[in-house]
Amino acid sequence: MKRYKVRRNFVILLLVTLLSVTSCSFTTKDFDEDSDKDKVLIELITHVIEQGHFDMKEIDDEFSEAVFKDYIQGLDPIKRHFLVSDFQDFEAFRTQIDDQIENKNLVFFNLTVEILTQRMEEAKGFYAELLEKPFNFQEQEMINTDYEKLEYASSTSELKKRWRQQFKFSTLSSFHDLKEEQVEKIKNGEEVDKKSDVELEKEAREITKESIENYFDAMSNLERKDWFNLYINSVVSQFDPHTNYFAPQDKDRFDISMSGKLEGIGARLQKERDNVKIVEVISGGPAWTNGELEVGDLIQKVKQEDEAEPVDIRGMRLDDAVDLIKGPKGTKVTLTVKKVDGSSQTINIIRDVVEIEETYAKSSTVIKNGKSYGIINLPKFYFDMQDYDERNAASDIKKELIRLNEIGAEGLVIDLRNNGGGSLSTVVDIAGFFIENGPVVQVRDAKNNTEVLKDTDADVIWDKPLVILVNELSASASEILAAAMQDYNRAVVIGSKQTYGKGTVQNVVDLNRWMRNSSFGDMGALKITTQKFYRINGGSTQLKGVESDVAVPDRYSYIDIGERDYENPMPWDKIAPADYKTWRGYSNLEKVIASSRDRLSDNAQIKLIDENAKWINAQRNQNSYSLNYANYDREMAEVKNMSEKFDKINNYKTDLTYSSLPYEESLMAQDSSLTQKRKRWHESLSKDVYVQEAINVLQDLNVDESSIKLAARKD
């Protein structure tokens, strides 16, 4: 759970105000239910952390206060549920959570959920009343959204005033949009059933009402275990930001995100009131191959092949419905579906392994001045948690490099922007494709034992120029690859001033290994920080990240978004460097870096991006908004003017045209969905000033064929 301080702009505020899923529920179960399992879970997690965490902290009063702060904030982040009296009741436990953990006592947890459930029910009782009458947008009224500094409401009447303000703010936004839309249609000569301000205000209130009803509907689907997951994660995240508890369904989602694969029907689902709606049919999956399931269809019943009767999933939690729909490869599932046209249909689908294409590496080529260059986009360092020999980032990158060699590409860009990391093994393998052999990263455990992870294969798959693109969201394994290539002088790193700054290693521990023959069911897993990694030059990427050779501003430049912005990150440190030799293949590396810096410092597109980044930061820091229409309209006009100014960023066009590799062209001929995805990607690349500069650098780099070898490192 991330806990850095951010203030949101008005658009994000509306989402937080009306749609955010705080941990809450209207469950009326006995709160002692499952308490034995929860007590065992506390003991089990505490034991695993004590035995395996890299930097074990004392579980004392100070620790208790930190848990208290994060947990209460997680329950009611914008302070629209708890009263001052509730918080005072909770404060009696501020320094007792450590004792409750030791004694496996759930009194504090149960108290918070019982009170929040009560406050939720009260809010359900009065929100319709607050939206019954029109809002007066002529009044001079302000709303402050700096919720961290806001005190809890002293009474229910004060709380209702806060809800009213939030509803008014949301309605004002919708009212303004509806008026603007109507004016625009009239201006364009469209036939419009012109509505009065009174009618538009009523329509805007209905939009707000529907949003808040969706909010309460989502909340009602949460159960006690959801609350407990929040509590447990408020505890374990105190050790470091990347130690987290995964409930069973969360563990499944984590595995899918790491491997890019699942076994099921191949459709993305969304809860819509009591229905489960198809929002995407994944290309190449069983549902796509079957052809009967469409976007917009509502799944009403699910029957397994060994069951006589289907299970009605209307009103069921989305997670539980998904569990019924997915299943092992080769099994049949029968879905009763309400089609988009209103008809009912029974659809049989044989489940299979579904690959989520956007998880995987993809490549493209571009021609500049008669030379061909390749670009590989790697969204994450994916791998199969159960079998490393299955499809993974390293095996896919190797295939793409071989294909790029076959078509004669003379330089390569690896795009690691927004890549949050993944498998340590895959990054070591990938680094080995660009060097003869040698260390890639150093790993140190809690006992200060240091292991150097090396590439031991002398084969070099790619010995031509290399550029790596990064940004503030390039983290962990991305930082290892960028740092190693930088330390070897093998690549030019272009991007943000520094990357994310995550220099720690996590292992996922299956908690069920301690619970054989248990009646408690699946206990989930714990992702726990067990090691820190270091560059081969001895420095840590923790907090400091990787500094780009060519630092360029982007939209994240002025936002608190890195590891250093957590409340409790591990510190930066350094160890002795590994024994390695730099690559001496470039004859003009320093000159090329200097030229790139000069080009970008005078680039109008980069200057506009930097100005936009500063404006975004200013918008995020704004926390006071007018609820007067004239004032709001004036503010929105200013926002619109600035937005139109920054629209030029998206209108930027390079002179570069990108193409898929031959093998993918043949796949696209059979898959219109893949064709559209690649078309969008290529269009995005053609507007990307960072990729454009990466190609410029590749073009400038001179490789001395006689010097492509590893030479002794000079300190």
Side-chain angles (χ1 to χ4, degrees):
M1 177 170 47
K2 193 161 186 178
R3 299 184 307 282
Y4 56 82
K5 296 181 179 179
V6 294
R7 297 185 177 91
R8 306 181 183 277
N9 62 25
F10 72 98
V11 175
I12 297 176
L13 169 73
L14 296 180
L15 295 176
V16 171
T17 302
L18 293 174
L19 297 175
S20 65
V21 181
T22 57
S23 290
C24 49
S25 168
F26 301 118
T27 306
T28 56
K29 299 177 183 177
D30 181 352
F31 274 83
D32 288 333
E33 183 180 338
D34 291 333
S35 63
D36 287 343
K37 178 179 179 178
D38 294 338
K39 291 175 182 178
V40 171
L41 188 58
I42 289 174
E43 184 173 22
L44 186 55
I45 287 175
T46 303
H47 171 75
V48 173
I49 289 177
E50 287 175 346
Q51 296 300 310
H53 196 276
F54 180 84
D55 186 21
M56 182 62 189
K57 291 183 178 179
E58 288 292 328
I59 302 180
D60 53 17
D61 287 355
E62 184 179 352
F63 182 93
S64 176
E65 290 192 46
V67 174
F68 178 86
K69 175 189 172 186
D70 290 343
Y71 175 57
I72 297 300
Q73 184 176 346
L75 288 175
D76 188 14
I78 61 176
K79 297 178 180 174
R80 62 173 171 180
H81 294 302
F82 290 140
L83 300 175
V84 169
S85 58
D86 301 328
F87 186 71
Q88 290 171 344
D89 289 341
F90 301 153
E91 278 208 297
F93 297 91
R94 181 183 285 273
T95 60
Q96 293 185 20
I97 298 175
D98 55 325
D99 302 309
Q100 296 213 346
I101 292 171
E102 182 179 358
N103 297 320
K104 296 172 286 296
N105 187 322
L106 300 176
V107 171
F108 171 62
F109 166 72
N110 287 339
L111 174 67
T112 57
V113 178
E114 285 174 352
I115 291 180
L116 187 52
T117 301
Q118 176 187 338
R119 298 301 178 215
M120 280 282 184
E121 288 295 339
E122 291 170 357
K124 275 186 79 176
F126 62 64
Y127 80 83
E129 170 196 336
L130 295 175
L131 288 166
E132 186 177 355
K133 297 178 181 178
F135 289 110
N136 182 356
F137 297 134
Q138 307 307 312
E139 295 176 331
Q140 295 295 334
E141 185 178 3
M142 302 292 293
I143 183 172
N144 190 296
T145 60
D146 190 354
Y147 297 110
E148 285 193 26
K149 295 181 180 177
L150 187 69
E151 298 294 332
Y152 287 99
S154 60
S155 63
T156 302
S157 60
E158 183 184 342
L159 197 61
K160 288 176 71 172
K161 290 178 182 177
R162 293 186 183 182
W163 280 86
R164 186 197 64 80
Q165 272 202 331
Q166 291 167 358
F167 290 157
K168 185 175 182 178
F169 189 29
S170 176
T171 304
L172 173 61
S173 176
S174 296
F175 175 63
H176 182 270
D177 291 346
L178 291 171
K179 281 178 67 73
E180 291 283 295
E181 183 180 338
Q182 181 168 272
V183 169
E184 192 67 24
K185 286 181 177 179
I186 293 173
K187 185 190 300 183
N188 294 334
E190 299 179 37
E191 289 190 18
V192 177
D193 181 15
K194 189 174 180 181
K195 297 179 181 179
S196 67
D197 282 359
V198 172
E199 291 172 309
L200 291 176
E201 190 276 340
K202 182 178 180 181
E203 185 177 343
R205 266 187 294 122
E206 287 299 319
I207 293 172
T208 300
K209 185 176 181 181
E210 183 177 352
S211 296
I212 197 64
E213 285 175 346
N214 287 335
Y215 165 80
F216 281 121
D217 183 59
M219 297 307 97
S220 66
N221 280 318
L222 295 178
E223 298 176 350
R224 183 185 192 280
K225 59 185 178 183
D226 300 305
W227 300 82
F228 195 68
N229 292 346
L230 174 65
Y231 178 65
I232 284 293
N233 273 305
S234 298
V235 173
V236 302
S237 62
Q238 301 306 318
F239 294 96
D240 79 286
H242 305 289
T243 293
N244 305 109
Y245 170 66
F246 291 144
Q249 289 168 327
D250 295 328
K251 175 59 165 57
D252 289 344
R253 282 189 283 267
F254 177 76
D255 288 348
I256 291 168
S257 72
M258 284 293 100
S259 67
K261 294 186 293 187
L262 59 90
E263 292 187 355
I265 66 170
R268 286 193 171 90
L269 310 176
Q270 176 180 296
K271 191 73 183 296
E272 189 174 88
R273 293 296 177 92
D274 285 341
N275 296 302
V276 175
K277 183 179 181 179
I278 304 292
V279 293
E280 182 185 353
V281 177
I282 298 173
S283 178
W288 181 84
T289 303
N290 177 282
E292 295 183 73
L293 207 58
E294 301 174 278
V295 171
D297 289 349
L298 304 177
I299 302 176
Q300 297 180 325
K301 297 179 182 180
V302 180
K303 187 176 85 67
Q304 313 301 330
E305 59 184 343
D306 60 348
E307 294 178 344
E309 296 295 330
V311 176
D312 194 323
I313 64 170
R314 285 171 288 190
M316 186 179 290
R317 281 165 48 97
L318 181 60
D319 284 347
D320 295 336
V322 168
D323 284 344
L324 291 175
I325 295 168
K326 71 180 184 181
K329 173 182 177 180
T331 59
K332 183 175 76 173
V333 62
T334 301
L335 308 177
T336 302
V337 173
K338 184 177 181 180
K339 302 293 290 180
V340 176
D341 62 9
S343 63
S344 183
Q345 184 177 340
T346 300
I347 300 175
N348 295 314
I349 299 177
I350 303 299
R351 300 175 177 112
D352 203 346
V353 174
V354 180
E355 294 190 334
I356 304 171
E357 184 268 334
E358 57 264 36
T359 301
Y360 300 129
K362 58 180 180 282
S363 62
S364 180
T365 60
V366 61
I367 305 293
K368 182 169 184 181
N369 295 335
K371 292 185 177 182
S372 176
Y373 300 97
I375 178 168
I376 296 177
N377 176 270
L378 184 63
K380 62 178 61 178
F381 290 80
Y382 49 89
F383 71 117
D384 191 307
M385 299 279 289
Q386 276 68 51
D387 186 356
Y388 184 78
D389 291 331
E390 286 290 318
R391 181 178 187 179
N392 63 57
S395 61
D396 281 357
I397 292 289
K398 184 175 183 178
K399 291 176 184 176
E400 297 304 318
L401 292 176
I402 292 171
R403 289 162 176 158
L404 288 168
N405 275 323
E406 289 173 347
I407 65 168
E410 299 188 41
L412 173 66
V413 179
I414 297 181
D415 189 352
L416 298 179
R417 290 174 296 178
N418 304 320
N419 183 323
S423 164
L424 194 61
S425 297
T426 60
V427 71
V428 173
D429 289 345
I430 291 170
F433 300 152
F434 305 103
I435 59 174
E436 286 185 14
N437 50 47
V440 174
V441 65
Q442 304 186 84
V443 181
R444 184 165 64 93
D445 64 20
K447 297 180 180 179
N448 291 326
N449 298 314
T450 301
E451 180 184 8
V452 180
L453 304 184
K454 301 179 179 181
D455 165 47
T456 57
D457 187 346
D459 289 341
V460 177
I461 298 177
W462 188 267
D463 60 3
K464 291 170 255 188
L466 176 65
V467 169
I468 295 179
L469 287 177
V470 297
N471 64 4
E472 287 89 346
L473 295 177
S474 302
S476 194
S478 292
E479 295 173 292
I480 292 174
L481 182 59
M485 295 300 96
Q486 192 178 62
D487 289 344
Y488 275 110
N489 289 338
R490 181 64 186 88
V492 176
V493 179
I494 300 176
S496 55
K497 183 179 179 181
Q498 71 162 75
T499 53
Y500 191 83
K502 178 182 178 292
T504 56
V505 182
Q506 286 73 41
N507 286 323
V508 178
V509 179
D510 183 358
L511 298 177
N512 296 295
R513 59 193 286 190
W514 284 277
M515 301 295 295
R516 301 190 188 282
N517 302 318
S518 166
S519 61
F520 290 131
D522 196 337
M523 301 294 286
L526 184 71
K527 179 161 69 75
I528 180 173
T529 297
T530 56
Q531 298 168 308
K532 289 180 74 173
F533 64 77
Y534 299 81
R535 302 172 66 137
I536 56 176
N537 70 8
S540 172
T541 61
Q542 180 67 9
L543 303 184
K544 292 187 177 182
V546 177
E547 294 182 0
S548 296
D549 298 310
V550 182
V552 196
D554 63 22
R555 64 186 292 111
Y556 305 115
S557 292
Y558 304 100
I559 297 173
D560 294 339
I561 204 170
E563 181 88 358
R564 60 196 179 280
D565 301 308
Y566 282 92
E567 289 184 357
N568 58 336
M570 290 189 181
W572 180 89
D573 61 345
K574 63 185 298 184
I575 60 175
D579 183 16
Y580 69 100
K581 298 176 181 180
T582 55
W583 198 74
R584 294 296 180 89
Y586 300 125
S587 61
N588 62 342
L589 182 60
E590 292 183 3
K591 181 179 178 181
V592 169
I593 290 173
S595 296
S596 179
R597 289 172 179 168
D598 288 342
R599 267 194 305 270
L600 292 178
S601 67
D602 198 38
N603 185 291
Q605 175 75 347
I606 293 296
K607 289 180 179 178
L608 187 61
I609 290 172
D610 188 47
E611 186 181 349
N612 184 38
K614 291 175 179 175
W615 181 72
I616 289 172
N617 187 50
Q619 289 294 106
R620 289 169 65 95
N621 286 330
Q622 182 179 351
N623 52 44
S624 183
Y625 302 90
S626 176
L627 299 180
N628 172 274
Y629 182 81
N631 293 339
Y632 182 84
D633 182 57
R634 189 161 45 251
E635 290 175 4
M636 291 305 100
E638 293 175 4
V639 169
K640 183 179 180 181
N641 288 336
M642 293 299 289
S643 296
E644 288 175 352
K645 176 181 179 179
F646 296 128
D647 278 345
K648 296 176 184 176
I649 293 173
N650 298 322
N651 296 333
Y652 182 76
K653 192 76 171 68
T654 70
D655 59 352
L656 301 176
T657 302
Y658 296 82
S659 304
S660 290
L661 273 67
Y663 87 95
E664 195 169 68
E665 293 280 2
S666 61
L667 293 176
M668 289 161 59
Q670 308 296 322
D671 188 345
S672 60
S673 175
L674 179 61
T675 302
Q676 288 301 313
K677 289 176 181 178
R678 290 298 179 263
K679 181 181 179 181
R680 287 195 297 269
W681 183 42
H682 293 159
E683 287 177 351
S684 174
L685 289 174
S686 70
K687 297 179 179 182
D688 195 323
V689 67
Y690 306 99
V691 175
Q692 179 187 37
E693 180 57 25
I695 301 298
N696 289 336
V697 169
L698 289 177
Q699 190 174 28
D700 290 348
L701 282 169
N702 292 330
V703 174
D704 183 351
E705 297 293 338
S706 65
S707 299
I708 299 180
K709 61 183 181 178
L710 297 173
R713 177 175 65 88
K714 295 181 179 180
D715 292 321

